Amino acid sequence: MKEIIEKEISLSKEVFHSLPFNNQKNKNKFLGEITNEITHYEDMLQQIYQELENRQKVYLNLKENDYKEYTAVLEQLTKALSYTNNLSTAYEKLKLDKQIYHLVHYQQNNLSKNNQVLKKIIDIFEKAGIPLRLQDFSYTKYVNQYMESFFTYQYCLESGDLEKTFEEIYWKDPYIILELELNIRMLYLKHEKKFEKYVQQVTKQLLSQFEKGESNLIEDYAYLRKKLEQVKIEDKNNVLYHFVHGDYRVEDYYDNKMEGMIQKYFGQNNHNMDEIYQTSLKLLHTLTEYQNYIKYESMIDKIKKLYQETFDKNVIKKQLKTIQTLEKKLFKLNKKSTHSFSKTKVDKLEPEIHKTIQEIHEQYKVIDQSIIQFVLKNHLQDHSTLFKALLLVQQYYCFIADLCKEKNEQISDEEIMQVYHDFTLFVLDPNNTMINNITIAEQCDIKEMIIANYRLLGMQLSSDLLNGSNLEECISELNKIMIYYQMKKMNINIQDLENMNKINKIMERK
């Protein structure tokens, strides 16, 4: 079409050069012809833009599929897997540990968020059939005062009066959040049997949603994760969507470029594309697992160290007994104390009350620091796999959160939750093979195992290829091979995609 228009313009120029221009009448006629010509090409330009817009709409109207029907079921399966294992207690299964962790690590300038966490904790007790009332919060006078205001405004947590109450109490008792935490921990221990019974009920209800109950839970989860991966890979709509929105670059998928990439891994011999696809998929799973292994290697090393160290399995029982004794002392002091303050003096029992609270807190700190080692020692043996060790640790949000804090003190609660989510996806990935076969006591060079295994399959891997940014590039290129295969299978024409990009650029300029 471009050539036709250029030819028309050339002929029009010849005609205009031949038109007389010697008087006003001829000049007006000349200008009229020019105006008609401009109008003609403006109309033609609008027609072209309309055609380009129509072609563009086909792609721009694409909506990304989100696979919610899969992710919703996977969430239920993940919850069921958490509830049915014997690696954690109701405290972890109901995420009380997570909420208390967020409460303890509160930000003084975000009282609203802290109150939301406190409300979640109270709701967890409520769901378990343990409605909490003001009288349950008697750890100190200040806890009781604040909770009186909290229950008044629990459905309006943004209340200025609630914030004012907290500020007034905080200046009198800067340990108010700690005291709230200890009060909640005490209430959990008091109602622990009810919580365990509630978890059993929830577990039974969850399992009733699955045809074969607990026996096929892991198989169901693995099947659905693999099915979701397959659906994503084979989704033509989303492949096109990612090209349109620039997630995939058209120039990366030309035949000559992709053939060079395939030769990089499979050599110059003629290969069946189906075989290349299957081997690439397998290697992609392996390298993704290896990448995650490196990502969580410091955690794995810590787990191994804790498992190998000597440990008194009775330490938690001893600490809980000490806590009970100290709490009895605290409640006696509370009864004797007047909790009165003036500008010149405080209640004489206040220092001893605070000292007792700090002693209780220290006992809980020992428990928190010992809990992972306690469960590792109780549930693992030398022949236990890394998968079981990581699955066990995945139940304990606080352990993972503390490791995040060690690496980055400024990390936010949202970032910690994302790390926890990603870690859970890694542990439960049905395509994992290494962590399912390496034991917690085993020492091995995983990188060399990968290289040796894939050399047997005719793939050209080297140690350098699996280092740092090279590993990321390798994973990226394998993903491109997967996409390239699907493009061929779906008859997606690279020229059409290139034309679409050109149209987008033209329309952006317009």
Side-chain angles (χ1 to χ4, degrees):
M1 188 175 188
K2 181 182 175 183
E3 291 78 11
I4 295 172
I5 293 173
E6 286 175 343
K7 189 174 181 180
E8 283 184 6
I9 291 173
S10 179
L11 290 171
S12 295
K13 283 181 178 179
E14 290 180 16
V15 171
F16 290 137
H17 282 304
S18 66
L19 289 175
F21 203 71
N22 56 347
N23 56 47
Q24 191 59 45
K25 182 179 178 182
N26 287 336
K27 287 178 181 179
N28 290 340
K29 184 179 179 181
F30 180 85
L31 289 173
E33 291 295 333
I34 289 287
T35 302
N36 290 338
E37 193 76 1
I38 290 171
T39 302
H40 167 71
Y41 284 109
E42 282 180 344
D43 290 343
M44 186 178 288
L45 180 63
Q46 289 306 315
Q47 290 173 16
I48 291 170
Y49 276 137
Q50 186 60 54
E51 176 62 25
L52 292 177
E53 194 174 83
N54 291 338
R55 293 186 186 187
Q56 190 185 37
K57 274 182 184 177
V58 176
Y59 293 102
L60 293 184
N61 288 338
L62 289 170
K63 302 293 181 185
E64 186 178 17
N65 293 325
D66 56 17
Y67 318 107
K68 284 183 179 178
E69 66 276 19
Y70 286 92
T71 53
V73 179
L74 280 170
E75 283 177 11
Q76 284 297 93
L77 281 165
T78 303
K79 185 177 179 181
L81 285 167
S82 173
Y83 271 63
T84 54
N85 73 67
N86 64 343
L87 304 175
S88 59
T89 66
Y91 187 68
E92 292 79 30
K93 287 180 168 68
L94 295 172
K95 306 302 180 187
L96 269 169
D97 62 332
K98 174 183 173 181
Q99 300 305 333
I100 289 175
Y101 186 92
H102 287 168
L103 183 67
V104 173
H105 294 82
Y106 80 108
Q107 298 295 319
Q108 193 175 338
N109 60 355
N110 197 344
L111 181 61
S112 174
K113 186 175 179 181
N114 302 328
N115 284 330
Q116 288 169 16
V117 172
L118 188 54
K119 182 69 171 69
K120 287 178 183 177
I121 291 170
I122 290 170
D123 288 344
I124 290 171
F125 274 81
E126 186 84 34
K127 286 178 182 177
I130 308 161
L132 296 181
R133 301 292 180 260
L134 181 59
Q135 57 267 30
D136 293 308
F137 292 90
S138 56
Y139 220 73
T140 65
K141 178 182 179 180
Y142 299 112
V143 167
N144 191 263
Q145 282 180 4
Y146 182 68
M147 291 309 295
E148 182 177 13
S149 181
F150 180 88
F151 280 121
T152 301
Y153 298 104
Q154 64 177 310
Y155 301 110
C156 184
L157 296 177
E158 304 293 334
S159 169
D161 290 338
L162 183 58
E163 183 177 349
K164 185 179 177 182
T165 301
F166 180 84
E167 288 177 356
E168 289 174 354
I169 292 173
Y170 184 83
W171 287 111
K172 295 175 184 176
D173 180 15
Y175 304 106
I176 179 66
I177 295 292
L178 170 61
E179 292 158 16
L180 272 168
E181 174 208 347
L182 298 179
N183 199 139
I184 293 163
R185 283 179 178 256
M186 179 194 72
L187 290 171
Y188 172 79
L189 291 172
K190 178 181 177 181
H191 299 287
E192 189 171 16
K193 288 184 179 177
K194 283 187 178 180
F195 276 112
E196 293 293 349
K197 187 176 179 182
Y198 171 69
V199 165
Q200 289 174 6
Q201 292 171 352
V202 174
T203 303
K204 188 176 180 181
Q205 183 182 358
L206 280 169
L207 291 176
S208 68
Q209 300 174 33
F210 305 103
E211 188 178 346
K212 295 184 179 179
E214 186 177 354
S215 62
N216 269 38
L217 208 53
I218 292 177
E219 288 83 355
D220 288 346
Y221 179 89
Y223 169 79
L224 200 60
R225 274 281 294 264
K226 288 182 177 181
K227 182 67 178 175
L228 176 56
E229 179 189 46
Q230 182 184 359
V231 168
K232 285 182 176 180
I233 289 173
E234 296 177 354
D235 188 339
K236 184 175 181 179
N237 174 85
N238 276 18
V239 171
L240 291 172
Y241 178 89
H242 290 307
F243 273 110
V244 171
H245 289 82
D247 303 319
Y248 302 158
R249 299 193 321 160
V250 175
E251 55 268 32
D252 288 342
Y253 293 90
Y254 293 129
D255 287 341
N256 60 342
K257 197 163 187 177
M258 290 306 304
E259 284 165 8
M261 194 178 292
I262 290 169
Q263 286 178 9
K264 176 180 175 180
Y265 295 99
F266 294 91
Q268 296 185 0
N269 298 326
N270 291 327
H271 293 280
N272 180 284
M273 198 61 198
D274 288 336
E275 290 177 1
I276 289 174
Y277 171 79
Q278 292 300 332
T279 308
S280 296
L281 181 60
K282 184 180 177 184
L283 178 58
L284 185 60
H285 289 152
T286 300
L287 295 188
T288 302
E289 181 185 3
Y290 179 56
Q291 189 178 48
N292 279 317
Y293 181 92
I294 294 170
K295 183 179 178 181
Y296 301 109
E297 192 167 17
S298 59
M299 183 192 298
I300 292 169
D301 290 341
K302 183 154 190 174
I303 292 168
K304 288 183 174 182
K305 183 181 176 184
L306 289 172
Y307 171 73
Q308 289 163 1
E309 288 176 352
T310 55
F311 179 75
D312 178 8
K313 290 187 177 182
N314 294 316
V315 65
I316 292 178
K317 192 181 291 184
K318 290 175 184 176
Q319 303 308 126
L320 288 172
K321 192 172 182 180
T322 303
I323 287 170
Q324 288 179 343
T325 302
L326 287 168
E327 284 181 339
K328 286 179 183 177
K329 177 184 174 182
L330 174 66
F331 298 146
K332 286 180 181 178
L333 290 169
N334 283 337
K335 284 183 180 179
K336 293 179 183 178
S337 172
T338 60
H339 294 283
S340 61
F341 279 83
S342 71
K343 290 184 179 180
T344 58
K345 64 180 181 179
V346 298
D347 188 307
K348 64 180 181 180
L349 290 176
E350 285 297 320
E352 191 172 357
I353 288 172
H354 287 146
K355 180 174 178 292
T356 306
I357 288 170
Q358 289 299 326
E359 288 174 353
I360 295 170
H361 182 221
E362 288 302 316
Q363 301 305 311
Y364 273 118
K365 281 171 68 176
V366 173
I367 290 175
D368 292 342
Q369 291 164 3
S370 305
I371 190 69
I372 285 294
Q373 199 164 17
F374 176 80
V375 294
L376 287 171
K377 290 288 186 180
N378 275 342
H379 293 284
L380 299 182
Q381 297 176 317
D382 286 355
H383 60 268
S384 297
T385 63
L386 274 180
F387 166 71
K388 185 174 181 180
L390 295 176
L391 181 64
L392 186 152
V393 166
Q394 183 269 334
Q395 310 295 310
Y396 294 83
Y397 179 87
C398 299
F399 176 73
I400 295 171
D402 283 339
L403 291 180
C404 291
K405 290 277 187 183
E406 284 178 17
K407 287 186 177 181
N408 176 13
E409 289 183 4
Q410 304 304 316
I411 192 170
S412 66
D413 290 345
E414 290 74 19
E415 289 170 326
I416 291 174
M417 285 189 280
Q418 187 60 51
V419 171
Y420 180 80
H421 174 74
D422 293 344
F423 178 70
T424 300
L425 287 177
F426 161 55
V427 174
L428 297 179
D429 191 338
N431 296 307
N432 289 336
T433 54
M434 291 178 290
I435 65 171
N436 297 342
N437 291 285
I438 297 172
T439 67
I440 192 169
E442 190 175 351
Q443 299 294 329
C444 58
D445 190 331
I446 294 176
K447 188 196 296 184
E448 288 305 316
M449 287 172 62
I450 294 170
I451 293 169
N453 183 43
Y454 281 92
R455 277 179 182 165
L456 292 173
L457 296 175
M459 295 199 72
Q460 300 177 2
L461 296 183
S462 65
S463 182
D464 288 342
L465 201 63
L466 304 187
N467 285 334
S469 60
N470 290 340
L471 175 60
E472 291 181 13
E473 183 182 355
C474 186
I475 289 173
S476 174
E477 289 180 340
L478 288 168
N479 272 312
K480 285 176 183 174
I481 292 172
M482 305 290 296
I483 295 163
Y484 180 68
Y485 173 85
Q486 292 302 328
M487 288 171 68
K488 295 292 184 184
K489 193 175 177 182
M490 298 168 185
N491 294 318
I492 295 176
N493 190 307
I494 195 74
Q495 190 61 52
D496 290 343
L497 295 174
E498 187 177 3
N499 291 339
M500 177 268 298
N501 274 353
K502 289 177 179 177
I503 291 171
N504 287 343
K505 289 175 183 176
I506 291 169
M507 298 307 282
E508 283 172 9
R509 289 198 300 268
K510 175 177 179 289

